[in-house]
């Protein structure tokens, strides 16, 4: 009966759609295909699509990528927050003339030019723009291109601004709960206690210890095992005051992770992890650099608080050792540096095979935030997606296509529109362009390839 009903519905729609049933049945094959594919966004057809241009509009510290075609359909992506737009622009000469729907082919052409951290942002931004474009061409949401969805809503976790007072910090976190968020993260690093005498050893050598310096040999560019900063028992007591105050005011239902503890070796991190255990912390993030898989495994086996890392890892291959050794309890790729949407799903699927959960890091534009929502929906072992711009009043206004606030009651509804489901609000983007930047200015100087790219002989 269902088959007959579907057939009747199809015939009815064929008649109502402007092509009479008799005409349809006797039409040429090409005309039938044209009618049946009228929902596909095409001009001369998807097989004739070519990439004709790529440009950048930088908003704050996020370069937004736009890939153009010969058929007026385009795609949007991001170079990761804090990365150089030239990581993407250098790829332009390598993708011009390619069919943008051949996403995996293009990805294999350009992926050699990415690397860990922000250096993965160029390849990732191009990959993301290609998937957005392909979804628009075939008139399907991104999650469908990734294999379908496991969930209709994606859970969001939110960061909380630091403050040097445990009670005030806890009050800010309660404010996040009142906003509807159901998972949170708190940045409680040794910077909060470094001015309290007797809490740390070997800090004066490092001056301000801000963590963001760009000078080789500074605290910010010295890996954790090599600073030889150590935390004392008093320091641990001071740090624990923050988690105790948090649980006192927030309660125990809401999962809370901890990030940015500081650059210390695994011994101090193990001691801190054990001290945080009574407060049921959801995860401890980036305790040491991700490259030290054996040290991560030692930490994970020594404490009972879940461990998590991965926001600076490029490609599935970068996660392989951590996952296969079960060195961490959760992986944490940022799709905007991991290689894009499909590569992130591959990372999640590989982690799932080994019993490892996946959360997603994100601190870029709302374009790729919504793309990450699709990726999260399509990956079964997903836990939560980071929202890093809750306190930015104009961040959501950068895009159109969402009815009401993006995040409602701690979740984002998975869009059903083609591609990632949003478009740029050009006027708002222009208002917030980085000083000296133009709105998708021409990039003809990047059209010509100047190197031999093959990596083998």
């Amino acid at each position: 009966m269902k088959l007959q009903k579907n057939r009747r519905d199809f015939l009815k729609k064929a008649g109502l759609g402007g092509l009479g049933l008799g005409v349809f049945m006797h039409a040429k094959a090409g005309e039938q295909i044209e009618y049946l594919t009228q929902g596909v966004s095409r001009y001369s057809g998807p097989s004739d699509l070519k990439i004709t241009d790529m440009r950048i509009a930088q908003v704050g510290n996020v370069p937004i990528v736009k890939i153009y075609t010969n058929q007026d359909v385009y795609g949007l992506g991001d170079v990761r927050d804090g990365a150089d737009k030239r990581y993407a622009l250098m790829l332009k000469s390598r993708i011009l003339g390619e069919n943008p729907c051949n996403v995996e082919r293009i990805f294999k052409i350009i992926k050699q030019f990415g690397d860990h951290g922000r250096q993965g942002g160029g390849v990732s931004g191009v990959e993301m723009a290609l998937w957005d474009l392909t979804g628009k061409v075939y008139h399907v949401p991104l999650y469908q291109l990734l294999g379908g969805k496991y969930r209709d809503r994606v859970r969001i976790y939110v960061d909380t601004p630091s403050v040097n007072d445990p009670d005030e910090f806890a009050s800010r976190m309660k404010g996040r709960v009142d906003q509807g968020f159901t998972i949170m993260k708190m940045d409680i690093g040794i910077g909060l206690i470094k001015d309290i005498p007797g809490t740390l050893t070997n800090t004066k050598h490092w001056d301000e210890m801000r963590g963001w310096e760009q000078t080789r040999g500074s605290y910010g560019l010295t890996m954790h095992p090599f600073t030889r900063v150590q935390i004392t028992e008093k320091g641990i007591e001071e740090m624990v005051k923050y988690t105790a105050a948090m649980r006192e005011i927030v309660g125990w239902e809401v999962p809370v992770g901890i990030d940015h503890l500081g650059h210390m070796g695994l011994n101090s991190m193990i001691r801190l992890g054990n001290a945080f255990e009574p407060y049921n912390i959801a995860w401890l993030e980036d305790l040491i650099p991700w490259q030290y898989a054996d040290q991560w495994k030692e930490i994970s086996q020594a404490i009972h608080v879940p461990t998590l890392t991965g926001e600076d890892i490029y490609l599935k291959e970068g996660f392989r050792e951590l996952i296969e050794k079960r060195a961490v309890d959760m992986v944490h790729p940022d799709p905007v540096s991991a290689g894009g949407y499909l590569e992130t799903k591959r990372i999640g699927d590989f982690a799932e095979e080994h019993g490892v959960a996946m959360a997603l890091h994100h601190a870029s534009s709302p374009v790729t935030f919504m793309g990450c929502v699709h990726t999260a929906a399509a990956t079964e072992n997903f836990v939560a997606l980071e929202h890093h711009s809750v306190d930015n009043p104009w961040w959501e206004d950068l895009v159109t296509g969402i009815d009401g606030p993006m995040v409602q009651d701690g979740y984002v509804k998975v869009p059903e529109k083609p591609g990632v489901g949003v478009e740029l609000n050009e006027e708002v983007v222009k208002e917030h362009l980085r000083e000296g930047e133009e709105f998708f200015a021409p990039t003809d100087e990047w059209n010509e390839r100047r190197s031999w790219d093959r990596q083998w002989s």
Side-chain angles (χ1 to χ4, degrees):
M1 292 294 292
K2 184 176 181 181
L3 181 62
Q4 292 177 349
K5 181 179 185 299
N6 290 343
R7 184 172 181 272
R8 285 196 300 270
D9 289 344
F10 167 76
L11 296 176
K12 181 179 179 182
K13 290 176 181 177
L16 292 176
L19 186 65
L21 180 57
V23 176
F24 178 83
M25 293 302 185
H26 293 90
K28 295 179 181 178
E31 294 174 344
Q32 293 182 18
I33 292 172
E34 182 178 358
Y35 174 76
L36 292 173
T37 60
Q38 61 184 320
V40 175
S41 178
R42 61 190 171 85
Y43 292 82
S44 58
S47 62
D48 297 318
L49 273 167
K50 301 292 181 185
I51 296 173
T52 58
D53 202 357
M54 182 174 75
R55 301 185 182 189
I56 303 285
Q58 180 147 350
V59 177
N61 69 344
V62 179
I64 300 174
V65 177
K66 186 174 183 180
I67 292 179
Y68 301 75
T69 69
N70 59 337
Q71 296 177 21
D72 295 332
V73 61
Y74 62 87
L76 298 170
D78 288 339
V79 181
R80 185 177 166 183
D81 61 289
D84 194 316
K85 63 183 180 180
R86 289 172 288 191
Y87 289 144
L89 288 171
M90 68 166 291
L91 306 173
K92 180 181 177 182
S93 64
R94 293 161 175 88
I95 68 174
L96 287 176
E98 292 285 337
N99 186 321
C101 298
N102 293 329
V103 183
E104 187 164 13
R105 168 188 161 87
I106 297 174
F107 182 71
K108 287 183 176 180
I109 292 172
I110 65 175
K111 75 173 185 177
Q112 64 175 291
F113 300 104
D115 206 342
H116 303 297
R118 265 64 183 180
Q119 293 179 48
V123 173
S124 302
V126 170
E127 193 263 14
M128 292 172 146
L130 293 174
W131 279 121
D132 180 43
L133 197 157
T134 302
K136 292 172 180 174
V137 168
Y138 289 101
H139 208 70
V140 294
L142 172 60
Y143 74 77
Q144 199 68 67
L145 297 173
L146 298 177
K149 60 181 176 178
Y150 288 95
R151 52 191 64 85
D152 295 319
R153 298 190 308 160
V154 166
R155 198 175 185 186
I156 301 302
Y157 82 84
V158 62
D159 228 332
T160 307
S162 296
V163 59
N164 284 60
D165 179 85
D167 294 328
E168 185 179 346
F169 202 132
S171 295
R172 291 187 179 189
M173 298 194 72
K174 180 59 166 60
R176 296 296 202 208
V177 175
D178 294 340
Q179 287 177 280
F181 291 101
T182 64
I183 300 184
M184 295 186 293
K185 187 171 73 175
M186 55 196 303
D187 296 343
I188 50 171
I190 56 178
L192 297 176
I193 64 169
K194 68 183 181 67
D195 294 328
I196 302 175
T199 58
L200 297 166
T201 299
N202 197 38
T203 61
K204 295 188 185 306
H205 170 70
W206 295 109
D207 298 323
E208 295 186 30
M209 296 173 58
R210 289 181 292 118
W212 302 107
E213 295 94 337
Q214 292 294 304
T215 304
R216 197 75 178 179
S218 66
Y219 171 83
L221 283 185
T222 299
M223 285 183 161
H224 300 51
F226 312 128
T227 68
R228 305 320 303 160
V229 173
Q230 295 174 289
I231 193 166
T232 67
E233 284 299 317
K234 181 178 180 180
I236 291 173
E237 291 174 5
E238 293 295 327
M239 296 282 279
V240 166
K241 288 180 180 179
Y242 286 87
T243 53
M246 176 273 296
R247 283 300 180 206
E248 181 68 26
I249 190 169
V250 169
W252 294 87
E253 171 59 27
V254 177
V256 176
I258 296 176
D259 192 10
H260 292 296
L261 283 169
H263 292 196
M264 298 182 290
L266 66 85
N267 309 92
S268 289
M269 293 304 184
I270 288 172
R271 294 174 65 205
L272 268 173
N274 287 327
F276 289 138
E277 182 183 344
Y279 302 97
N280 226 40
I281 300 304
W283 67 73
L284 295 176
E285 182 172 335
D286 296 338
L287 297 176
I288 57 175
W290 63 267
Q291 291 90 339
Y292 301 117
D294 289 330
Q295 292 189 36
W296 268 107
K297 185 172 183 177
E298 186 174 344
I299 293 173
S300 297
Q301 291 180 335
I303 66 177
H304 297 293
V305 179
T307 53
L308 169 149
T309 196
E311 69 180 69
D312 291 316
I313 300 178
Y314 179 61
L315 304 181
K316 186 182 79 172
E317 289 81 357
F319 284 89
R320 185 178 298 278
E321 187 177 14
L322 287 167
I323 292 171
E324 289 183 339
K325 289 185 174 181
R326 195 62 164 75
V328 291
D329 298 291
M330 301 171 65
V331 291
H332 192 222
D334 186 324
V336 196
S337 58
Y341 301 130
L342 180 58
E343 189 69 9
T344 299
K345 176 173 168 51
R346 287 172 173 154
I347 292 165
D349 291 344
F350 184 66
E352 182 183 7
E353 292 175 11
H354 292 78
V356 176
M358 182 179 77
L360 294 182
H361 179 277
H362 186 269
S364 301
S365 89
V367 172
T368 56
F369 178 77
M370 294 308 295
C372 290
V373 167
H374 286 272
T375 305
T379 312
E380 189 170 18
N381 63 332
F382 164 79
V383 175
L385 165 65
E386 182 172 20
H387 186 358
H388 213 279
S389 300
V390 175
D391 299 317
N392 185 334
W394 49 263
W395 185 80
E396 287 195 13
D397 296 334
L398 291 171
V399 295
T400 62
I402 302 295
D403 297 328
M406 279 188 183
V407 183
Q408 298 186 39
D409 298 323
Y411 288 82
V412 175
K413 185 178 179 181
V414 180
E416 295 294 339
K417 296 179 180 179
V420 300
V422 296
E423 295 293 341
L424 289 179
N425 184 336
E426 294 190 1
E427 294 305 312
V428 177
V429 171
K430 290 175 182 178
E431 288 177 15
H432 296 283
L433 286 172
R434 185 173 182 173
E435 186 176 355
E437 294 288 331
E438 297 180 47
F439 183 75
F440 295 119
T443 55
D444 293 344
E445 67 273 23
W446 296 93
N447 288 358
E448 182 183 349
R449 187 185 304 193
R450 298 178 177 88
S451 70
W452 178 254
D453 295 339
R454 195 175 71 191
Q455 294 180 305
W456 46 271
S457 296

